[in-house]
Amino acid sequence: MRATPFDKLPSRERHTAIVAELDALVRTIPPSRPLYSKELAEQIGTSVRTLHSASVSVVGMSLHSYLRLKRLTQVRLQLLTGAFSVKAAALANGFWHLGDFSRVYRRVFGELPSQTRARAKQCKQLDLSPPPCPDESKLTLVSLSSPSFPRQHSRSFCPLWPIAPVCVRSGN
């Protein structure tokens, strides 16, 4: 077996470095292309078993589950834009069996992909730009996830609530 740059690191640091290398490698691969653990391990310079162990150690899930979650997250981001159909987003990210994709998506995110897309489109129809602040010195721009944001406008305000800013009165 050949020496790798990870061999001299302590186990936890070695696993973290391997997962970082995996993440960098996966970013360079087209999302629709199948991922094979043997190919990934060879390109990283480690064994499949070590790659799997690193994944479990660092992210708490199997290599296959981690890679699937990364792709599911990418699909979710595309659906949240409202610009992609469910089928287009799934196929573009390597999910060829749409029934399985929908089942796994629902298990991970708690809703169907079509529900994610519908909420995103509904939110786009709302005007989420901050209201004009009449006196900038007395108003502060905060995120909806901020503790100073009034509770009655929490999650029900918009499904994309952490990214929609609003003006609220400051203490002065």
Side-chain angles (χ1 to χ4, degrees), residues 8-30:
K8 296 189 183 201
L9 295 172
S11 181
R12 180 70 181 167
E13 289 178 30
R14 184 171 144 229
H15 285 170
T16 303
I18 289 171
V19 171
E21 189 75 20
L22 172 67
D23 287 340
L25 177 61
V26 168
R27 279 192 297 271
T28 66
I29 298 172

Side-chain angles (χ1 to χ4, degrees), residues 3-162:
T4 68
F6 309 113
D7 289 343
K8 296 189 183 201
L9 295 172
S11 181
R12 180 70 181 167
E13 289 178 30
R14 184 171 144 229
H15 285 170
T16 303
I18 289 171
V19 171
E21 189 75 20
L22 172 67
D23 287 340
L25 177 61
V26 168
R27 279 192 297 271
T28 66
I29 298 172
S32 62
R33 185 176 170 272
L35 298 174
Y36 299 103
S37 52
K38 184 177 180 185
E39 278 182 31
L40 295 172
E42 286 173 358
Q43 290 184 23
I44 291 172
T46 190
S47 70
V48 173
R49 184 174 178 170
T50 301
L51 186 57
H52 177 78
S53 296
S55 175
V56 170
S57 170
V58 174
V59 295
M61 62 183 73
S62 72
L63 175 62
H64 177 75
S65 295
Y66 179 57
L67 294 173
R68 183 178 55 216
L69 181 62
K70 288 177 76 65
R71 287 193 167 181
L72 280 170
T73 302
Q74 192 60 38
V75 169
R76 186 170 180 82
L77 291 173
Q78 290 173 350
L79 293 176
L80 285 171
T81 67
F84 292 85
S85 71
V86 172
K87 182 178 180 179
L91 293 175
N93 286 282
F95 294 100
W96 305 111
H97 191 287
L98 298 179
D100 286 345
F101 159 73
S102 186
R103 180 182 44 79
V104 171
Y105 186 97
R106 184 175 192 167
R107 188 174 59 216
V108 171
F109 297 114
E111 65 184 2
L112 292 170
S114 58
Q115 292 171 316
T116 302
R117 184 170 188 266
R119 286 186 316 112
K121 288 189 110 183
Q122 175 189 11
C123 194
K124 264 189 161 183
Q125 292 172 357
L126 299 173
D127 181 17
L128 295 180
S129 57
C133 298
D135 183 357
E136 294 286 332
S137 65
K138 293 184 181 176
L139 297 170
T140 308
L141 193 63
V142 297
S143 166
L144 293 179
S145 59
S146 167
S148 63
F149 187 72
R151 269 294 191 213
Q152 69 270 21
H153 296 294
S154 64
R155 205 171 182 76
S156 62
F157 178 74
C158 175
L160 304 176
W161 67 275

